[in-house]
Amino acid sequence: MIVPFDILILIFLVVAAVISLCVKDLLAATMVFGAYGFLICLLWATMGAVDVAFTEATVGAGVSTVLFVATILNTRRKSTD
Amino acid sequence: MTMSDHLPVLILLAPLFGAVAVGLFGMREPRVCLPVTLAALGVSLWCAVGILLRIHDEGPLDYFVAGWEKPVGIGIVLRADAINSPFLLVIAVVAIFAALFAVRPTGERESGKTPHFFILFLLLCTGLFGITITGDAFNLFVLVEVSALSSYGLIAIGRTKRCKVAAFHYLIMGTVGASFYLIGVGYLYLKTGSLNMRDIHDILVSNRSLFGSRTVQTAFLFILIGIWTKMAFFPLHGWLANAYSYCPSSSACLLAPLSTKASVYVMIRIMVSVFGLDQVEANAAWGDLVVWLAVIAIAAGSTLALAQREFKKMLCFLIVAEVGYMVGGAWLGDSGRWGLTGSVYHLLADATMTSCLFLAAGTFAKHLGVVRIDDLSGLFSRMPLASSGFVIGALAMIGVPPTGGFFSKFYLIRGAIDAGEWIYIAALLGSSLVNAVLFFRLFEIAFFGKNPVGFHREQGPIEVPSERLEPPFHVLAPLLGAAALVILLGVFNGPIVEFIRTALLDPVTIVSEAR
Amino acid sequence: MILTIASIALIVAGLVFFLGAAVGLTRFPDFYCRTHAAGKGDTLSSLLVISGFALYQLGEVHDLSHGWPVLLVFLKLLAVIFFISLTSPTSTSTLADAGWEDGIDPTIEPGRENHLQEDCGKRRS
Amino acid sequence: MNAKLSATFAVVFTGAVLLYAVSDFPDFGDPRSPANHGVSGGAPSASVYYIKNAYHDTSVPNLVTAILADYRGYDTLFETVVIFTAGMAIFAILRVLRRDDSGIPAAPDPAIDGDHHRIVVGVTCRIAVPLVQIFALYVVAHGHHSPGGGFQGGVMLGASFILIALSTSLRHALGRLSETSFIRLACLGILIYAGFAFLPLVVGRNFLDYGALRALFGTDGEEMARSHGIFVVEIGIALTVTSVMFAIFANLSSRGRLHGGL
Amino acid sequence: MTSSFHDWIVPHFNAWVYVIIMMTGLWAVIAKNNLIKKLIGLSLFQTSILLLYVSLGVKEGAGIPIIDHEAAALAMSGSDDALNPDRFANPLPHVLMLTAIVVGVATLGVALALCQTIYRDFGTLEEDEVLEQMKTLHDDV
Amino acid sequence: MTFESFATGVGLALLLLMIPAVVRLVKGPTALDRIVAVNVIGTKTAVLLIVIGVVFRQVEMFVDFSLAYALLNFTGSIAAARYLHRAAQRGEETPTGKETN
């Protein structure tokens, strides 16, 4: 546990979460959600949860963003809210 | 150690291996799907019977996965006792009925998806067996997700547009519910340091102040809300009607009888084995509140059912009302535990009668193309055997002796009298009355309705000749089987209730270690 | 000791470049400039910082027979450097290209409008 | 607007209830909290047992792997089943088996014609993909001693196939791992896990008790048998996860047609 | 005020952030109109639960839950202090959350597939438009 | 001063230097700007993982997934770029960079 890291990352985390919900462009929203994944991976690392961080890194960086983008390709990029 | 010691794990390994076998061989040769499914469920049925007999003879059965027995709580334990072993049997039987019904699960046009259907079907059975038999709070979550994901697939496998939206709503609600459950388990873990149900119970009992602490109370609340979302308890019932009425009939016959009942079972299991009946009943305010909620749920479910014109939707809202019965009964808190016993017994009765009614609804939809109540006219003359099965299911729903529905209501009312919850009795009787009105109207249409009407996909309602159109054997057999089961449950209610109630009266036998 | 000092120097240099990249990311006028700052600055400074740590790890190896786990870490850090230098520029350049596809126009310096407009027109069509 | 207001109300209520409980929590990072140490005056919690004994029981230094695949291996079996279920559900929902589907034209397949994307990304992926795959295998195999294991390695392997698809085309990637093969592989993964866990039943021990398979592995103690058992299980997880991750991508990106797409 | 700050917020700041993220996610699930936005909210909601659990396993001054070579050698030689529980973070929540992450990805995949079929059938991803079309749908059941 | 406390300082500095990227994430104005900011955060994450490993004195455990991270980091960007390419190919309305929020 490294407390100063922890606090900064948590702040970033909340910002990223809110941004990913506020942006109307879904492509941007999903990419920001990817950044949220990166940050949360860092958070697990600072808490000493290496395996969770590893999983989050592979899933967040490798898979979930791509799945979102694939869905947006087959649907629509704009959102009304 | 003989094979019969491994029954608690074999019961869910059988459908799991069945799913794998369907995946490996069924893709190329779809004809093997049904035999493999039936064989797997047959093994499960055999295991369920074996478990029931063993528990009857020797008391509760613990199975320590991977052999981690001591100290308590390091491994995962499977636990079969008087509460869940009858339910295991009912799951196996209802699943076999649904599999027989689902010979061509998704219709002609999408027949390429038959193996997918049966894989998901078997995985759902795996999940349900697992939910029922596990003794670990977190493992329960994983298995709930197995069954939830497969049921989303089973609902959305249909061809209609609506089932996709219904599945999406179900997914959102189901995931939120499961996550609430997970939060609750997290709070419990935070206070007790354990995930094993028995271990949590022992810690809470030996440490009375812990149960009153804010964290444990919040945990209890969140677990309850999560499970209520999963079981479509009244204010949270939004997903149920669309999901079960727009999905393919073959899926509905498995989902509608078992999914919500499994959640009700989970609630009872959490009350009995995690928090302990004594602690739960000590907080009378909670009990009163939940009984009131249940009364509202029963009233709302019945009212909404009255307003429906589609047969399956009407049944769905009746399920909402039935969930109200069971939740209310479980929370009555009478000293003789008649309410809780009635709840557990109603779980079994309701699973079989819902299975019977949904099989009937599926038969009418599949073989007559009828979905609306008004189009059922002339039904009896055309499908005498199938409609007699349907009548038995309907009578059980109303609560006519000697069906299981009558006796479960009897025990629930007995518990309510002991607990002095008159409003609950009123709701129960009122709802029975509504059921009677609904089904006798249906009988009237089906018996005396003049021109028999069919429904053609393109041309809409058309007149059809009124000759006999009895469905084929593989559809008729499960329907009549379910009807017979409803009556059997009613006839043998005495020993079953005795079996359950003895265990509930002395919760120590349920909670503490098996010999 | 020398390795430690060298590693600290590398890390500090990396931080300086990171600062440059950060300033560029906030202050530059348009998408392409920001991509430039982010891509180049970040890649270089990541390389510097990680090689600093790698050197430090090398300093921990006292004798080769027992130090092989640390040596392995050193090699893995070099691999991280290699991969970052492989993937980070790729993604930046692809993103710049994608920005063009998405219709983002570069900010044009006064006096060079014609030149760029012509260029833009050629590629967009 | 009304819906948003009621949503806000419900959410604030939920949050308030959760925060109400927070004041009762043990402090963040408290090594004596019930979860970390056990209820005061009671038996030590399970995690203390794990830290003290997992290495002796399984001879796996990574405690998370030891718990994941042995003590709570039953959970992990169903975690793998969850992934498998998701893959099958996506096939059931999305896969288009008929030729003439609703008229939305599929995107042309080899669509990246000789431009920037193909050259830069193609070359990078050509270098990166084999490295990702080798590294993924390392992660699967090395999960005993460092973070990693079947799931992480499997996701990386799946991501490597996704990278192939992204840098060339989906058809090209499906040439490496076709539809029937990935369904089979997913089933095979489950079969390896569940079947291997079933073996101890044959010698009369409980499900998942790898220690009983000492004779099979030819090891002296049960703990080494457990260690090897965990490895076999990880391979099963990795197979399922790899194939399902790629299957999900292939279906989602091409709208269930398995051609065209992202 | 300050005392409640020190008692209620400072020792539990992780719990506060978890509740905030959970509220954000849940709000998005209920109130957002776009289905993909709902799914992002759902993922946030699930991640916040991971935060709750992983925070439970943190110990002040403890390392990661992997036994290093020295400790392993010491433990093999029978030393009792080598595997002191205070030296390693609690591994159990990590195991649970690995499972939860997997469940999250699986749910996300299925939900995205449903989104695509809904778009194929209704031509929109806005929930109110979908519900509007549902009302006027003549669909064979 | 030990090397670990130095590494803590480096990590803090890196996190503080992440603030401009987060600001870019908030301000936009285009989707691509946000994606670039995400990329920056991703690269910094790979470095920070190693820094955290040094602070924990167990770099050998952390370097593994820093490696995985460095390898997979660009998947998201490639997918986004590929998406924009496809969208342009299909001739859809390309939401331009003018659009805010």
Side-chain angles (χ1 to χ4, degrees):
Chain A
M1 181 179 73
I2 312 165
V3 172
F5 285 18
D6 216 23
I7 293 172
L8 268 173
I9 295 169
L10 284 173
I11 294 169
F12 292 161
L13 210 57
V14 175
V15 173
V18 172
I19 295 301
S20 69
L21 290 175
C22 291
V23 178
K24 284 189 179 165
D25 186 342
L26 286 177
L27 184 68
T30 51
M31 294 310 283
V32 176
F33 185 66
Y36 176 88
F38 299 166
L39 289 168
I40 213 156
C41 162
L42 265 182
L43 188 64
W44 302 151
T46 62
M47 289 188 184
V50 251
D51 277 87
V52 186
F54 201 161
T55 316
E56 187 71 44
T58 47
V59 168
V63 177
S64 70
T65 316
V66 183
L67 297 188
F68 267 119
V69 173
T71 305
I72 293 167
L73 176 76
N74 290 330
T75 57
R76 190 188 291 165
R77 186 174 159 186
K78 294 275 107 185
S79 131
T80 53
D81 59 355
Chain B
M1 205 164 195
T2 59
M3 215 52 174
S4 72
D5 290 318
H6 299 295
L7 290 178
V9 70
L10 286 177
I11 192 169
L12 71 166
L13 280 183
L16 182 61
F17 281 124
V20 170
V22 173
L24 284 176
F25 307 114
M27 291 291 172
R28 182 162 295 167
E29 193 55 66
R31 274 178 308 173
V32 308
C33 294
L34 188 68
V36 169
T37 308
L38 286 177
L41 291 173
V43 173
S44 290
L45 180 64
W46 174 72
C47 292
V49 173
I51 291 173
L52 195 62
L53 290 177
R54 270 194 77 147
I55 291 171
H56 188 261
D57 295 342
E58 304 169 21
L61 193 66
D62 276 349
Y63 186 83
F64 296 93
V65 181
W68 296 115
E69 190 171 344
K70 294 267 186 276
V72 175
I74 58 160
I76 291 175
V77 59
L78 307 183
R79 187 173 181 87
D81 56 27
I83 305 176
N84 60 12
S85 50
F87 190 51
L88 286 172
L89 189 61
V90 168
I91 292 177
V93 174
V94 169
I96 287 178
F97 290 159
L100 276 175
F101 180 80
V103 169
R104 266 194 211 89
T106 49
E108 299 294 338
R109 273 159 66 196
E110 293 270 3
S111 56
K113 285 187 179 170
T114 306
H116 302 96
F117 176 86
F118 279 108
I119 291 174
L120 291 172
F121 187 99
L122 284 168
L123 288 172
L124 179 60
C125 295
T126 312
L128 291 173
F129 283 129
I131 290 171
T132 313
I133 208 166
T134 189
D136 189 275
F138 187 82
N139 187 244
L140 185 67
F141 164 76
V142 180
L143 286 155
V144 162
E145 285 294 338
V146 171
S147 64
L149 281 173
S150 45
S151 48
Y152 309 145
L154 283 177
I155 290 170
I157 205 170
R159 281 178 285 112
T160 61
K161 291 180 175 182
R162 284 170 171 168
C163 68
K164 311 282 165 50
V165 183
F168 190 82
H169 283 154
Y170 183 22
L171 187 145
I172 296 277
M173 290 296 275
T175 310
V176 170
S179 302
F180 270 31
Y181 174 80
L182 195 56
I183 291 178
V185 171
Y187 277 33
L188 275 183
Y189 177 62
L190 182 144
K191 272 294 175 191
T192 61
S194 182
L195 292 164
N196 184 299
M197 287 185 187
R198 168 157 45 95
D199 203 15
I200 297 175
H201 178 265
D202 290 347
I203 291 171
L204 287 179
V205 167
S206 63
N207 209 335
R208 291 274 165 175
S209 66
L210 211 53
F211 188 79
S213 73
R214 290 177 174 191
T215 312
V216 174
Q217 294 280 319
T218 313
F220 193 30
L221 181 68
F222 270 76
I223 289 178
L224 278 184
I225 294 180
I227 300 168
W228 284 346
T229 315
K230 281 282 195 191
M231 72 169 85
F233 192 50
F234 168 61
L236 307 166
H237 69 290
W239 55 269
L240 182 128
N242 286 349
Y244 289 174
S245 56
Y246 296 139
C247 68
S249 303
S250 331
S251 314
C253 292
L254 183 67
L255 284 169
L258 296 180
S259 274
T260 49
K261 306 308 170 292
S263 307
V264 176
Y265 163 76
V266 171
M267 185 189 74
I268 293 173
R269 168 60 68 189
I270 295 280
M271 284 166 67
V272 172
S273 313
V274 178
F275 291 95
L277 280 176
D278 293 330
Q279 271 96 328
V280 172
E281 284 163 5
N283 285 12
W286 277 74
D288 279 347
L289 184 71
V290 177
V291 171
W292 268 100
L293 283 174
V295 167
I296 297 171
I298 296 169
S302 300
T303 320
L304 286 167
L306 272 177
Q308 301 306 318
R309 306 185 67 80
E310 279 178 27
F311 188 29
K312 271 196 203 166
K313 266 210 160 157
M314 183 192 93
L315 293 179
C316 289
F317 283 107
L318 288 182
I319 291 181
V320 174
E322 300 280 324
V323 166
Y325 290 8
M326 286 178 268
V327 174
W331 282 84
L332 281 175
D334 57 308
S335 53
R337 306 240 201 270
W338 285 110
L340 194 56
T341 312
S343 256
V344 178
Y345 178 67
H346 193 76
L347 206 69
L348 314 174
D350 194 38
T352 47
M353 63 203 193
T354 322
S355 162
C356 182
L357 286 174
F358 267 86
L359 284 167
T363 311
F364 303 154
K366 226 174 178 176
H367 294 274
L368 298 178
V370 173
V371 289
R372 282 152 51 93
I373 295 170
D374 295 338
D375 298 340
L376 280 174
S377 53
L379 178 77
F380 277 66
S381 54
R382 294 167 71 198
M383 286 188 168
L385 276 176
S387 28
S388 56
F390 159 65
V391 167
I392 293 173
L395 290 180
M397 207 68 158
I398 298 167
V400 176
T403 57
F406 169 74
F407 290 102
S408 62
K409 274 179 195 163
F410 172 76
Y411 294 119
L412 287 173
I413 289 177
R414 180 162 178 187
I417 292 173
D418 283 359
E421 299 278 3
W422 302 105
I423 180 84
Y424 178 72
I425 300 174
L428 215 59
L429 294 177
S431 151
S432 304
L433 196 65
V434 169
N435 287 358
V437 169
L438 277 172
F439 282 113
F440 279 108
R441 190 182 74 189
L442 227 155
F443 294 161
E444 189 194 326
I445 295 170
F447 253 126
F448 306 112
K450 282 289 175 289
N451 49 348
V453 174
F455 194 87
H456 193 265
R457 286 238 162 79
E458 275 83 38
Q459 296 162 19
I462 48 162
E463 297 237 350
V464 288
S466 60
E467 81 263 18
R468 303 252 316 240
L469 269 176
E470 205 64 70
F473 176 73
H474 68 84
V475 176
L476 206 54
L479 178 54
L480 293 178
L485 201 61
V486 170
I487 294 180
L488 276 180
L489 264 178
V491 171
F492 292 105
N493 72 84
I496 299 171
V497 165
E498 198 51 40
F499 182 56
I500 298 167
R501 185 158 169 270
T502 324
L504 283 174
L505 271 181
D506 182 19
V508 178
T509 57
I510 298 178
V511 173
S512 71
E513 200 171 346
R515 305 138 280 103
Chain C
M1 194 61 211
I2 292 174
L3 279 178
T4 310
I5 291 171
S7 71
I8 289 177
L10 276 175
I11 292 169
V12 172
L15 285 180
V16 171
F17 280 107
F18 261 128
L19 184 66
V23 171
L25 195 63
T26 37
R27 299 287 300 164
F28 276 163
D30 73 345
F31 166 69
Y32 297 99
C33 299
R34 287 180 211 131
T35 314
H36 168 83
K40 294 222 159 134
D42 255 29
T43 313
L44 177 61
S45 41
S46 313
L47 299 189
L48 287 173
V49 172
I50 296 175
S51 48
F53 284 115
L55 274 189
Y56 177 75
Q57 289 298 318
L58 200 60
E60 298 280 287
V61 186
H62 297 301
D63 66 310
L64 274 176
S65 56
H66 292 290
W68 60 267
V70 186
L71 203 62
L72 188 66
V73 173
F74 172 70
L75 291 178
K76 278 185 187 168
L77 283 172
L78 290 188
V80 174
I81 294 175
F82 173 65
F83 291 139
I84 286 186
S85 63
L86 184 70
T87 58
S88 181
T90 311
S91 57
T92 322
S93 97
T94 330
L95 281 180
D97 199 52
W100 189 260
E101 302 265 7
D102 200 31
I104 300 175
D105 287 325
T107 320
I108 294 162
E109 193 184 318
R112 287 174 54 86
E113 289 95 342
N114 288 335
H115 188 73
L116 261 170
Q117 224 114 49
E118 205 176 76
D119 211 22
C120 290
K122 218 184 286 166
R123 277 201 60 183
R124 278 269 155 77
S125 67
Chain D
M1 212 63 241
N2 202 6
K4 286 201 174 175
L5 205 65
S6 55
T8 315
F9 182 74
V11 168
V12 168
F13 176 73
T14 315
V17 173
L18 288 175
L19 287 178
Y20 166 76
V22 162
S23 62
D24 195 31
F25 278 20
D27 289 356
F28 177 54
D30 179 9
R32 289 285 169 272
S33 68
N36 291 339
H37 187 256
V39 187
S40 58
S45 75
S47 77
V48 174
Y49 175 88
Y50 293 140
I51 294 172
K52 285 197 179 223
N53 298 310
Y55 186 62
H56 295 297
D57 284 347
T58 62
S59 80
V60 173
N62 186 349
L63 300 175
V64 176
T65 306
I67 302 170
L68 187 81
D70 195 333
Y71 295 98
R72 296 189 73 86
Y74 185 71
D75 260 0
T76 311
L77 170 61
F78 287 101
E79 165 191 336
T80 320
V81 173
V82 165
I83 285 283
F84 177 63
T85 313
M88 284 303 137
I90 286 170
F91 268 105
I93 293 167
L94 207 56
R95 184 81 176 93
V96 178
L97 293 168
R98 282 164 289 144
R99 278 284 163 80
D100 51 328
D101 179 62
S102 66
I104 309 166
D109 208 26
I112 308 293
D113 328 305
D115 68 347
H116 178 87
H117 187 93
R118 198 190 67 184
I119 298 164
V120 176
V121 177
V123 170
T124 307
C125 286
R126 195 167 284 194
I127 301 169
V129 164
L131 293 171
V132 174
Q133 287 176 341
I134 291 170
F135 187 62
L137 293 178
Y138 164 80
V139 168
V140 175
H142 208 249
H144 286 38
H145 301 279
S146 67
F151 186 71
Q152 291 91 335
V155 175
M156 284 187 74
L157 266 180
S160 75
F161 286 106
I162 293 178
L163 269 179
I164 295 176
L166 283 177
S167 65
T168 55
S169 70
L170 187 59
R171 183 186 290 164
H172 190 80
L174 283 169
R176 309 278 166 93
L177 190 65
S178 72
E179 182 185 1
T180 41
S181 64
F182 58 61
I183 291 178
R184 291 251 166 90
L185 273 181
C187 290
L188 194 66
I190 300 275
L191 194 64
I192 288 176
Y193 196 149
F196 185 72
F198 189 81
L199 282 183
L201 264 66
V202 180
V203 288
R205 298 274 286 270
N206 277 7
F207 187 63
L208 270 166
D209 193 349
Y210 318 125
L213 301 175
R214 210 165 46 183
L216 182 70
F217 292 119
T219 54
D220 295 336
E222 296 212 337
E223 69 277 357
M224 273 321 282
R226 292 211 174 88
S227 175
H228 294 324
I230 289 173
F231 181 63
V232 175
V233 159
E234 301 268 20
I235 292 173
I237 301 174
L239 276 181
T240 303
V241 171
T242 306
S243 42
V244 171
M245 284 298 155
F246 182 59
I248 292 177
F249 170 78
N251 270 302
L252 281 181
S253 77
S254 64
R255 238 189 259 125
R257 284 187 190 74
L258 299 191
H259 58 82
L262 193 65
Chain E
M1 179 59 213
T2 49
S3 78
S4 82
F5 184 76
H6 282 290
D7 293 347
W8 204 12
I9 298 182
V10 173
H12 311 299
F13 58 92
N14 266 33
W16 278 79
V17 174
Y18 127 73
V19 173
I20 291 170
I21 294 176
M22 196 216 73
M23 284 163 70
T24 321
L26 192 59
W27 186 82
V29 170
I30 301 172
K32 284 284 174 183
N33 198 17
N34 188 289
L35 299 186
I36 290 183
K37 277 289 175 70
K38 270 182 195 279
L39 292 184
I40 293 176
L42 199 65
S43 296
L44 290 177
F45 181 50
Q46 287 177 323
T47 328
S48 75
I49 298 172
L50 311 189
L51 185 50
L52 165 70
Y53 272 80
V54 176
S55 305
L56 293 184
V58 175
K59 290 178 192 165
E60 188 94 49
I64 58 177
I66 298 177
I67 295 170
D68 44 23
H69 297 291
E70 301 99 84
L74 274 175
M76 275 294 127
S77 67
S79 160
D80 205 31
D81 191 51
L83 299 179
N84 181 3
D86 290 346
R87 284 192 51 210
F88 302 97
N90 183 352
L92 186 53
H94 302 179
V95 176
L96 307 182
M97 289 309 104
L98 275 180
T99 310
I101 291 178
V102 175
V103 169
V105 181
T107 318
L108 181 70
V110 176
L112 287 174
L114 282 171
C115 276
Q116 290 199 12
T117 48
I118 289 174
Y119 187 81
R120 186 159 69 190
D121 288 345
F122 293 88
T124 175
L125 277 183
E126 305 296 322
E127 197 185 21
D128 50 358
E129 293 173 22
V130 171
L131 291 179
E132 195 59 38
Q133 286 188 37
M134 280 265 281
K135 274 183 203 156
T136 58
L137 205 59
H138 293 293
D139 208 347
D140 54 345
V141 178
Chain F
M1 192 179 84
T2 59
F3 195 75
E4 281 75 35
S5 52
F6 171 70
T8 316
V10 172
L12 266 182
L14 280 174
L15 277 172
L16 289 176
L17 286 173
M18 218 187 251
I19 290 177
V22 175
V23 169
R24 198 33 80 194
L25 214 59
V26 176
K27 278 191 358 194
T30 64
L32 266 302
D33 280 305
R34 292 201 169 93
I35 297 173
V36 168
V38 171
N39 227 342
V40 170
I41 292 177
T43 319
K44 282 211 175 69
T45 306
V47 181
L48 264 169
L49 285 175
I50 292 172
V51 175
I52 292 168
V54 173
V55 175
F56 270 107
R57 301 176 197 223
Q58 276 178 313
V59 202
E60 69 273 18
M61 300 301 171
F62 284 77
V63 75
D64 270 358
F65 63 97
S66 180
L67 198 59
Y69 214 87
L71 276 170
L72 294 180
N73 197 6
F74 73 135
T75 317
S77 320
I78 287 183
R82 180 85 166 198
Y83 165 82
L84 292 169
H85 192 90
R86 289 286 193 210
Q89 242 176 15
R90 281 196 304 197
E92 273 179 6
E93 25 45 285
T94 44
T96 63
K98 307 293 183 296
E99 198 251 340
T100 51
N101 210 358

